[in-house]
Amino acid sequence: PARGRALQAAACLEAAAQLLAPHPAFGTGVRELGRRAAELRRGVFTVALFGAFSAGKSSFANALLGEAVLPVSPHPTTASIIRIMSPGDGQRHFTANIKFKSAEAMQEDLVYSLGALGLENVDSKEWKSAVLRLNPGEIPAAGRAHFSFLKAAAAGWEQVSPQLGSSLIVDYAEFERYAAEETRACFVAEIDFYYSSPLTEQGIVLVDTPGADSIHARHTGVTFQYMKNSDALLFVTYYNHAFSRADKQFLTQLGRIKGSFALDKMFFIVNAADLAASEDELAAVVEHVRDGLRTTGIQQPNVHAVSSRRALAEGNTDESGEPGFEGFSADFSEFLEQGLGSLAAAGASAELRQVTDRLSKWTDTAEDAAKHAGAKLESLQHERAAFEAAVSEFRAVDIRRAWSQENEELLFHVVQRLRLHALDLFVEFFHPSLLQEGSGSLKRNFAIALRGWLDQISGELERELLATSLRLERKAEALLLKEAEIWCRKHEAQLDMPLVVPNFEGEWNAPAIPEGLLDSSLFAPEAYWPYFKNPKTFFEGEGRNLLRSKLEGPLLAHIKEVVQQMEGVLESHYESEIGQRKEKMAGYFSSLWQEWEDSIRHSEVSEQDLTYWKGVTMQIGSYIEEMEAFYDR
């Protein structure tokens, strides 16, 4: 339904562009309508699946697709991004394009995991033997995902590493192996799986992302881009699982950016609802999930309890008889049709309304110009000079003060939140279950706990900055739009020509926010090990509190230093982005003037012409009514 509405909106835009094509003053408008129509014609909607390992994402995706095509990986650490889409030109149903990590990316992953296990000084040629020497029973919980990844990489290195930096088209059997076998999957960056189904044929691309507890979760920039740019977000949690720390971090980031979206595009799925002993028990679990979501800043979550197993067992999820899945399907279909479809229609309607406003003003002015043609031509030179002066005035608009104030305030709060979050995380990493006698070298496990704590804080800082970048983008967009609207209102009457604000949404470049912002080498484990002594003194005495107090000051100072550096990075990046956007707007205004001048100089407007263009205005008005009927239903 969403694709159908997008195609209908595209058809209206194309029809309007065809009607306007002969007009000398609408070249820019025709190109914009064509560009927007081409976007709608593609009709692709990205639906991203998020959730921790074992939350049931794959089984839920299979229920959506109507067939068990996604393998359920038994390993939580190496899941790559899998995009399920309709086969395009030259692609065959039930095949996949395996895209391997680059050699550099694989090396970064190895170094990161080795460091997390206290093996940062291992020679690059000796890492496999160093991993094989590790005793699995002595690896603390904080390091198990890294151990699993390294062990798989070592086992598959000879066979798979030659593929690094390349891609490979495979059949379904090989796709299953690369998606589920850890010794292969750990070398894969992403997989495009080509599958024809009622869902994918609607233009939906279903993206199964790595679990929030995967080692790949540190690549927060990739996750953020899917949050930001996907048309719908589905977060899956398992019926009897509490939200993990990784879940809460992810959901908190969702809560931060939710208000920046034009639509509420988030759906929260409680999978395995068939485990409930009664309807009351199920309702209590759903309410518990709602409460957990509210604590992360998602105040009105759209929650559905489903049984993917039962829905998939029926074969046809649209008539599955599984009430939870039926309810979700109905809600999701309405979102696609009334949400995404209507958003496409509303966007098309807004484009056409701008065109009709310009055309109406042009015909009014043309009628007057026809009566006073000579005087109008004589005044063009003066008016052109006035217009160029007005455009120069727009180029001189400065929104830096208001934007910089927003940047400063947002980053101040980032530091405060991160300080509190770091203290909360401390007890999770320095915990009796992770640092106890009989679980291997206490000194090594202490170093692993410290490194894990700092890495989590660093990842949270990156998530905070990514969310901040989106808020800053929206702030700059709003400030520029306001200035453009003021400029148009001021100069339209003075210049006696139609002026409209251009629509350049979605074209901001994201700032480069690096991984590993906090330098863990500044916090050498040897410097803090004396505060540990032994588990009893550390946990039952004041050892843990003393260590936290000793770490708090240097950590806060380092966070402030990094945030101050990133403030400069954001200032520089958005100063350039705002300048480019402003210049693009100025260029758009200049093109309007050139077309306006050409239409007066070179077009003889007769009564018949005016009648024709008034008819075109009415025809495009009917397209607007058609679009608005979509979202008035």
Side-chain angles (χ1 to χ4, degrees), residues 302-537:
N302 187 356
V303 182
H304 292 268
V306 308
S307 171
S308 298
R309 182 184 65 81
R310 285 182 179 171
L312 189 59
E314 296 292 336
N316 184 339
T317 57
D318 289 333
E319 300 175 3
S320 66
E322 203 290 295
F325 208 94
E326 284 183 341
F328 164 76
S329 295
D331 196 15
F332 191 55
S333 294
E334 183 178 1
F335 168 77
L336 292 176
E337 184 175 355
Q338 300 299 331
L340 294 182
S342 294
L343 192 63
S349 173
E351 296 272 359
L352 294 179
R353 194 167 288 284
Q354 280 194 345
V355 166
T356 55
D357 287 347
R358 280 188 62 201
L359 191 53
S360 295
K361 290 169 183 173
W362 180 87
T363 53
D364 291 343
T365 306
E367 281 187 298
D368 182 65
K371 298 173 185 175
H372 309 93
K376 186 66 178 174
L377 286 172
E378 286 180 10
S379 68
L380 273 178
Q381 192 64 31
H382 171 72
E383 289 178 1
R384 182 182 185 87
F387 184 85
E388 289 174 351
V391 172
S392 296
E393 178 187 313
F394 180 76
R395 284 190 169 100
V397 162
D398 191 353
I399 65 169
R400 283 178 298 179
R401 183 175 179 181
W403 184 90
S404 295
Q405 183 178 352
E406 181 83 357
N407 187 24
E408 186 179 335
E409 289 179 2
L410 288 174
L411 292 179
F412 171 81
H413 292 296
V414 164
V415 172
Q416 301 310 309
R417 284 196 299 270
L418 205 61
R419 182 183 68 84
L420 295 173
H421 186 63
L423 297 178
D424 289 341
L425 277 176
F426 184 85
V427 295
E428 294 187 33
F429 282 88
F430 293 91
H431 192 273
S433 64
L434 306 177
L435 293 165
Q436 56 184 320
E437 302 286 359
S439 59
S441 168
L442 279 174
K443 194 168 187 178
R444 187 192 65 192
N445 290 350
F446 177 86
I448 290 173
L450 180 60
R451 172 68 181 267
W453 179 61
L454 293 168
D455 284 345
Q456 283 294 323
I457 300 165
S458 187
E460 184 64 13
L461 175 55
E462 187 183 347
R463 282 184 285 273
E464 284 273 12
L465 291 172
L466 288 166
T468 298
S469 73
L470 181 56
R471 291 174 176 173
L472 291 172
E473 180 181 306
R474 295 292 183 262
K475 180 68 174 181
E477 201 166 71
L479 289 169
L480 279 179
L481 179 62
K482 180 181 178 181
E483 292 294 341
E485 288 172 343
I486 291 171
W487 185 88
C488 286
R489 285 198 302 270
K490 176 181 177 181
H491 294 289
E492 186 173 55
Q494 292 178 359
L495 297 166
D496 193 24
M497 66 172 288
L499 290 172
V500 293
V501 177
N503 179 13
F504 295 143
E505 290 182 5
E507 297 180 13
W508 293 88
N509 292 314
I513 297 176
E515 295 177 3
L517 285 164
L518 297 183
D519 185 357
S520 58
S521 68
L522 297 176
F523 300 84
E526 299 80 18
Y528 297 98
W529 171 246
Y531 291 92
F532 186 78
K533 294 182 182 177
N534 59 67
K536 182 177 178 65
T537 303

Side-chain angles (χ1 to χ4, degrees), residues 426-427 531 538 541-551:
F426 184 85
V427 295
Y531 291 92
F538 187 73
E542 287 297 311
R544 184 162 61 175
N545 291 335
L546 287 172
L547 175 62
R548 184 167 66 178
S549 176
K550 188 69 175 177
L551 284 164

